[in-house]
Amino acid sequence: MRRLLLTAAATTAAALALAACGTTEPAADKTEKAEKKASETITLKDGKGAEVKLDGPATKVVATEWNVVESLVSLGVDPVGVADVKGYKTWDSAVPLNNEPKDIGTRGEPSMDTIASLAPDLIVATSDLTPAAVKQLREVAPVIEVTSADGTGQIDQMLENVDLIAKATGTTDRAKSLREDFEAKVAEGKKALTDAGMAGKNFAFADGYVASNQVSIRPYTATSLIGEVNEAIGLKNAWTVKGDEAYGLGTTDVEGLTKLPGDTRFAYIGNDDDPSATPFTGALAKNSVWKSLPFVKAGDVHRLDDGIWMFGGPGSMEAYIDAVVGALTK
């Protein structure tokens, strides 16, 4: 009888031990998962100073502006949603898309329903988007806003934006490489221009468009991103018009070009898919003022490669440097 009782007690103890093991293992798993999740949590401040928390590096990302699309692609993150995909492919082939993202609408008015259908874990917007639109986006997913442009330091702002997006996507090592590659390209471009005797030469970059048969020209002044890059590679910005505070962009017409120094080298970017955006070989071709300009007569007008987004990131600016150096040293 005593033997039977001992056996029964042992069996009961073993059963309780097994039951205990069955309850503690899942608890341990939950603890490990919670600790892992906590370690992966990312907390950062965006360009507007807002605190943004992410459960981990974002992988399903929507971008509302082309400059942040370019940054994502350069960092190795293929966005699931992009504003005006066709426009990006037209104007920013320097950093092409690797996938076929969903078109979320226009850059100024993205479709909230389309973005919500993508179930993103991050939306990257810019300071150009209205506060009302950003508020709506925050109801869909975490949003980081980057500062689109800063006339007091465009290159620094460009690189800061890349770093911010990298923190949110877990690609900080890639961001460091992008910065180093850009700095190396600037040094390379500066040396090439110096060797060609172009250091300190007057240089003016602009784009233009035709509307209602009127040509408008947009100078990229010294406080624009293009302007800062030009000076970084050793050129002198020839524009004297004042640009806006954010982008450093001015406004003039063909008569305004007569104020540029006579030894100016003039460059622009057009687009074959948009004839209205290439007036220098179109509407101005027979214009007497245009044809009388010293740099036009001297053949110092250069159309740079299409597909370089003038407000883009390091990738576009590297392509721009290559194009400028190629045009001025050939």
Side-chain angles (χ1 to χ4, degrees):
M1 181 70 175
R2 178 179 176 79
R3 181 182 179 88
L4 290 173
L5 289 174
L6 287 172
T7 301
T11 301
T12 301
L16 289 173
L18 287 172
C21 288
T23 56
T24 55
E25 283 184 354
D29 289 344
K30 289 180 181 178
T31 300
E32 289 178 6
K33 288 179 180 178
E35 290 175 350
K36 182 179 181 182
K37 184 175 181 180
S39 67
E40 291 181 344
T41 298
I42 297 172
T43 302
L44 49 80
K45 285 190 177 181
D46 69 7
K48 289 289 189 70
E51 186 176 275
V52 181
K53 291 185 177 181
L54 303 172
D55 291 336
T59 57
K60 294 182 65 179
V61 187
V62 167
T64 69
E65 185 55 78
W66 294 344
N67 57 343
V68 295
V69 172
E70 180 180 319
S71 293
L72 285 165
V73 175
S74 297
L75 289 167
V77 180
D78 295 327
V80 297
V82 167
D84 187 6
V85 172
K86 181 180 179 181
Y88 183 89
K89 289 180 177 180
T90 298
W91 287 98
D92 199 345
S93 57
V95 184
L97 295 168
N98 297 312
N99 63 335
E100 292 296 332
K102 184 74 173 178
D103 193 310
I104 62 168
T106 66
R107 291 145 62 202
E109 296 182 2
S111 168
M112 302 299 166
D113 290 340
T114 302
I115 294 173
S117 72
L118 296 171
D121 48 28
L122 176 66
I123 301 169
V124 183
T126 73
S127 54
D128 288 334
L129 202 59
T130 65
V134 173
K135 183 178 179 181
Q136 286 183 285
L137 289 175
R138 292 193 192 283
E139 296 174 1
V140 176
V143 177
I144 58 172
E145 287 184 86
V146 304
T147 302
S148 294
D150 183 354
T152 65
Q154 302 285 11
I155 292 176
D156 287 344
Q157 186 63 61
M158 173 188 73
L159 295 173
E160 285 176 16
N161 290 347
V162 172
D163 288 344
L164 175 60
I165 296 171
K167 288 178 183 177
T169 56
T171 56
T172 53
D173 287 345
R174 178 59 182 153
K176 182 180 178 182
S177 295
L178 291 177
R179 180 184 289 266
E180 292 172 349
D181 290 347
F182 171 73
E183 292 172 347
K185 180 61 68 175
V186 169
E188 175 189 310
K190 185 172 185 178
K191 182 180 185 305
L193 291 175
T194 298
D195 291 346
M198 295 299 298
K201 298 296 184 181
N202 282 309
F203 184 77
F205 178 87
D207 62 15
Y209 57 92
V210 181
S212 301
N213 296 320
Q214 295 294 318
V215 175
S216 294
I217 297 169
R218 186 165 62 171
Y220 285 63
T221 72
T223 60
S224 68
L225 176 57
I226 290 289
E228 280 197 18
V229 171
N230 287 336
E231 293 192 355
I233 59 177
L235 297 170
K236 180 180 179 182
N237 199 304
W239 292 112
T240 57
V241 297
K242 186 177 180 180
D244 69 278
E245 290 185 4
Y247 285 94
L249 302 176
T251 303
T252 190
D253 54 20
V254 66
E255 283 78 14
L257 298 178
T258 61
K259 298 179 181 178
L260 289 170
D263 63 349
T264 296
R265 278 76 174 173
F266 187 88
Y268 66 95
I269 287 176
N271 198 296
D272 286 337
D273 292 333
D274 186 359
S276 67
T278 314
F280 306 106
T281 52
L284 291 178
K286 297 181 180 180
N287 183 283
S288 59
V289 176
W290 171 257
K291 291 192 296 183
S292 71
L293 295 169
F295 49 85
V296 175
K297 287 183 175 181
D300 280 327
V301 177
H302 308 279
R303 177 173 175 171
L304 305 184
D305 299 336
D306 289 7
I308 299 172
W309 186 228
M310 292 84 79
F311 313 98
S316 276
M317 293 303 102
E318 287 177 32
Y320 174 79
I321 292 171
D322 283 341
V324 170
V325 171
L328 298 184
T329 61
K330 64 181 180 181

